[in-house]
Amino acid sequence: MHITRYTDYSLRVLIYLAVQGDELATIQEIADSYDISKNHLMKVVHQLNKKGYIETIRGKKGGMRLHMAPEEINIGILVRETEQDLSIVECFSSKNACRITPVCGLKSMLGEALTAFLAVLDKYNLADVIQDKHRPQLLRLLQIA
């Protein structure tokens, strides 16, 4: 299975904010911590705000923070909401033109694998990702003061 950069960055933003706690963070701080593009993060942050995962505060002392507790953010749901297309092969798509689809066993196998992939992610939330025992290391690695 593969997730897009968009989903990866969405998870990274939420991890950063969860580790930071109630403190406000900026897009630039998060981009610098992960050494990724600020421009890529702007769209991600906009969508996370729109979907209610984070809240943003405008102004000179503004920033963002989680809008819900890490325990309330289910990883499986987040992946479903951020992935544009979970059609892992053409036959899952409405634009399927594969000639062997009606008799191919691969579609059901890959469908089962996708279901299992998402079922595993559904068992976890953001609090599971950041685990309290790893918080000091995460703070250090993300260079959060």
Side-chain angles (χ1 to χ4, degrees):
M1 297 283 120
H2 177 78
I3 60 171
T4 61
R5 181 179 295 167
Y6 185 88
T7 298
D8 177 26
Y9 287 3
S10 295
L11 288 162
R12 290 189 201 199
V13 167
L14 294 176
I15 290 166
Y16 186 98
L17 296 176
V19 169
Q20 178 125 345
D22 287 333
E23 296 294 318
L24 294 176
T26 66
I27 293 173
Q28 188 64 60
E29 290 168 347
I30 296 170
D32 291 345
S33 286
Y34 289 114
D35 196 24
I36 56 180
S37 166
K38 177 183 173 185
N39 292 333
H40 282 84
L41 285 184
M42 290 174 73
K43 183 178 177 185
V44 168
V45 165
H46 176 72
Q47 283 302 106
L48 290 172
N49 182 47
K50 206 168 154 182
K51 291 186 181 292
Y53 287 104
I54 64 172
E55 65 176 327
T56 56
I57 291 109
R58 294 184 182 266
K60 185 173 179 150
K61 295 187 181 190
M64 69 189 110
R65 64 179 157 231
L66 288 181
H67 189 245
M68 51 179 69
E71 295 80 14
E72 297 173 358
I73 299 175
N74 181 275
I75 302 302
I77 292 171
L78 178 77
V79 168
R80 286 181 187 86
E81 290 182 347
T82 55
E83 284 297 310
Q84 294 287 324
D85 185 7
L86 287 171
S87 300
I88 56 176
V89 288
E90 181 182 340
C91 58
F92 283 57
S93 165
S94 61
K95 298 177 183 176
N96 179 26
C98 180
R99 294 179 182 189
I100 65 169
T101 299
V103 295
C104 181
L106 189 57
K107 181 177 181 179
S108 66
M109 290 176 206
L110 291 173
E112 185 179 344
L114 178 60
T115 299
F117 175 74
L118 293 170
V120 168
L121 295 179
D122 285 339
K123 296 189 309 187
Y124 298 100
N125 61 49
L126 187 59
D128 296 321
V129 174
I130 63 166
Q131 299 178 27
D132 286 340
K133 66 181 178 182
H134 296 301
R135 185 174 164 77
Q137 295 95 324
L138 285 166
L139 285 166
R140 184 178 44 78
L141 292 168
L142 291 172
Q143 300 170 356
I144 299 173

